[in-house]
Amino acid sequence: MESSVMHSIGEMARDSGLSVSALRFYDGAGVFGPAWVDPQSGYRWYAPEQLADARLIARLRRVGMPLADISRVLGEPAGTARQVLDGHLRRLEDGLADARRELSTVRTLLDLRENPMNPITVARLTVQARELAAALDAVRFAVGTDPEQPAVGGVLLEAEAGLLRLVATDRYRLAVAQAPLEGPAEGTASVIAPTSFVDELRPLLDGSGARPVRLVVEGDRLIATVDDRAVLGERIDQDYPDYRPLIRLEPTHRLRLDTAELRGALAGAATRSVVRSQDGAACEVSVLAVSADGSLTVADPEGPADGLRVGVNRDFLLEAVAAGGAGQLVLELGGPIAPLAVRFPDRAETFSLLMPTTLS
């Protein structure tokens, strides 16, 4: 190949805005390589028409697009590439919203630090009893119990945009639900309610229907009032794990299933589960397999590895399914090492994520 009409790697770096090391990296990653490599010297040479793609990569790199998405933008048709761009823009917007939320909380904490002897009411909010009960039931199973991880030993309560979001995790699974607020909330709230507070409050919500539950966060104190009954507690003074990046999944398979059928399939395949260790404790792992036609089966762990196969803690999956009640559910799978999502069609904001378990 005639190198006189080609660009050297230094020239390509200068004209594209990518460094020489970046060009070498993208070549090694299989995303963007030279048109020709001199077999004797190993020098990389780029065709003139590659400059446009190199400049595109430089722009995508500046906005933090992941390597896999850059590869898709370069290799997919224009329509698909635009969808990738739209998805990345949504993630950036969500990240900015997260940053604003965190900074708002930091401002509140600074106020509390400057006035430690004068407790400041962080939030007052009201929610219907039945809505709060359903949200608690959807997340309570995922609360952590490890005393060395106090931050996950309760339910995170976040009030924003007319909603109360509840989050629970033990770092192997994550459950999220929400309940609409009755009227505007006073102040901002992002607090961890300990399980003792949650478990004392939950029975008071039965039979209360649409009656209001008033929640107050005042300094370190939590107060929940239902009619003339009150529950008192103390917030867990820890930073909750950053769960938001986990919930922005892009699954490759989305399967709508009957809840009872899935439970039956897991029960019928119990003898085909395999025992694995999870944080030092033995657990039974079931293998979910997606065939070429998109159907789901609970497969033999020792069977052929055709199609997508995901190992999941069987008891965790059953608890996540039970938290949604009867009816239909949607399983979302993104690969053997990506979180498995359990969603419910009638409650879009109530879902669980389960970390997969390796099968090897």
Side-chain angles (χ1 to χ4, degrees), residues 116-165:
M117 302 305 294
N118 181 23
I120 296 175
T121 297
V122 178
R124 293 178 183 272
L125 50 94
T126 304
V127 61
Q128 286 187 8
R130 62 187 171 204
E131 296 283 355
L132 182 58
L136 287 173
D137 291 345
V139 304
R140 175 62 180 88
F141 73 96
V143 173
T145 58
D146 185 352
E148 295 185 0
Q149 301 285 343
V152 297
V155 175
L156 176 67
L157 306 177
E158 291 185 319
E160 57 180 52
L163 295 169
L164 178 65
R165 176 179 290 138

Side-chain angles (χ1 to χ4, degrees), residues 17 42 85 104 106 127 130 148 182 198 211 253 265 309 322:
L85 296 178
S104 176
V106 168
V127 61
R130 62 187 171 204
E148 295 185 0
E182 297 285 291
V198 169
R211 288 191 178 92
H253 296 80
R309 288 161 58 90

Side-chain angles (χ1 to χ4, degrees), residues 262-305:
L262 179 58
R263 283 201 299 260
L266 290 168
T271 57
R272 297 203 301 270
S273 61
V274 62
V275 177
R276 290 287 183 266
S277 176
Q278 192 169 60
D279 198 23
C283 66
E284 290 191 8
V285 175
S286 292
V287 178
L288 304 181
V290 182
S291 62
D293 64 1
S295 60
L296 181 82
T297 59
V298 182
D300 184 346
E302 307 301 330

Side-chain angles (χ1 to χ4, degrees), residues 58-82:
R59 291 180 179 274
L60 296 178
R61 190 183 185 199
R62 284 197 290 271
V63 297
M65 179 170 283
L67 192 63
D69 285 350
I70 291 177
S71 182
R72 292 182 64 195
V73 170
L74 294 178
E76 299 283 354
T80 303
R82 290 190 182 94

Side-chain angles (χ1 to χ4, degrees), residues 12 32 47-57 74:
M12 179 61 76
F32 180 75
E49 59 268 21
Q50 288 186 281
L51 180 58
D53 278 354
R55 287 174 171 168
L56 186 148
I57 291 172
L74 294 178

Side-chain angles (χ1 to χ4, degrees), residues 14-31:
R14 180 196 65 206
D15 295 341
S16 68
L18 292 171
S19 66
V20 169
S21 60
L23 286 168
R24 287 175 178 152
F25 170 75
Y26 288 120
D27 181 16
V31 174

